[in-house]
Amino acid sequence: MTLPIIVWWTGMGWIEAAVADVLLAITYTVYALLFNLGYDRLFPIRQDTACAAGDTAVLERGHG
């Protein structure tokens, strides 16, 4: 959907604009992946040991 906008805005040809569009999408995808991996390492989700072990008896008693 952004291909005509890239062609109009930059004055590129259709092939160059298509390559730029694909590379831009790949760049955003890689950035999002790296950002999320880094964020998850800096701020990990803490899990209760009973929940992590799958101990449903503890959860059924209301202690989890």
Side-chain angles (χ1 to χ4, degrees), residues 2-17:
T2 60
L3 188 59
I5 296 170
I6 293 173
V7 170
W8 172 74
W9 192 286
T10 64
M12 291 182 187
W14 286 94
I15 300 297
E16 293 88 3

Side-chain angles (χ1 to χ4, degrees), residues 48-60:
D48 188 9
T49 56
C51 291
D55 188 1
T56 57
V58 173
L59 295 175
E60 289 171 358

Side-chain angles (χ1 to χ4, degrees), residues 7-30:
V7 170
W8 172 74
W9 192 286
T10 64
M12 291 182 187
W14 286 94
I15 300 297
E16 293 88 3
V19 170
D21 198 24
V22 169
L23 291 176
L24 195 61
I26 291 170
T27 301
Y28 282 132
T29 303
V30 170

